[in-house]
Amino acid sequence: MTRLLSLVPLVAALGFAVPVLAQEEQSTAPFAYRQLSDPAQEREAQALMETLRCLQCQGQSIADSDAPIAGSMRSLVRERIAAGEEPEAIRGWLIERYGDYVSYAPQLTTLTWPLFAVPLVIVALAALLLRKRFRRGEAR
């Protein structure tokens, strides 16, 4: 009986170890950590993955992230590239699904045009103010 009681801590430790090991498992997506066999397709997929943001990480591309969702996204990109889909079509699908945040290359839309226009307006105002200031300096 005492021998059985001495096994209780061991069984309890093993019971706690199983969930910990399960948490360490990375993405189950087939191409998350495996490259495509065609080097040209892999280069194309890698170039696209470097321009897509991981939804879980702060500022990392899916090519650099170890998050499970990044692994799933890498696998998805590779699968679609292998199927012959164009990178811009894949980017468009991901933007449609996850929003503009997923792309490091923002699209010009009715919502984002002010982000592109405001810096141009600021530069134009600065040029106008500097021009007036230098003209006043020449008049003296």
Side-chain angles (χ1 to χ4, degrees), residues 20-28 68:
V20 170
L21 292 174
Q23 288 176 355
E24 289 182 8
E25 183 179 330
Q26 294 182 340
S27 177
T28 57

Side-chain angles (χ1 to χ4, degrees), residues 17-97:
V18 172
V20 170
L21 292 174
Q23 288 176 355
E24 289 182 8
E25 183 179 330
Q26 294 182 340
S27 177
T28 57
F31 287 105
Y33 297 97
R34 194 177 70 194
Q35 295 184 352
L36 295 171
S37 57
D38 181 1
Q41 286 182 332
E42 180 60 28
R43 277 193 302 276
E44 197 173 22
Q46 197 70 345
L48 177 59
M49 289 186 288
E50 289 172 2
T51 65
L52 296 171
R53 186 188 320 261
C54 175
L55 300 172
Q56 185 176 350
C57 305
Q58 295 291 323
Q60 278 188 310
S61 71
I62 64 171
D64 300 329
S65 175
D66 286 329
I69 191 167
S72 297
M73 291 171 75
R74 282 193 304 272
S75 182
L76 179 116
V77 166
R78 285 183 173 125
E79 288 169 6
R80 288 181 169 224
I81 292 283
E85 200 168 334
E86 291 294 317
E88 285 308 310
I90 299 167
R91 177 192 311 283
W93 182 81
L94 287 168
I95 289 172
E96 185 179 305
R97 183 169 183 181

Side-chain angles (χ1 to χ4, degrees), residues 113-133:
W113 73 265
L115 297 173
F116 292 92
V118 168
L120 296 175
V121 169
I122 290 172
V123 168
L125 285 173
L128 184 66
L129 291 172
L130 287 172
R131 185 175 174 195
K132 283 184 180 180
R133 179 165 177 87

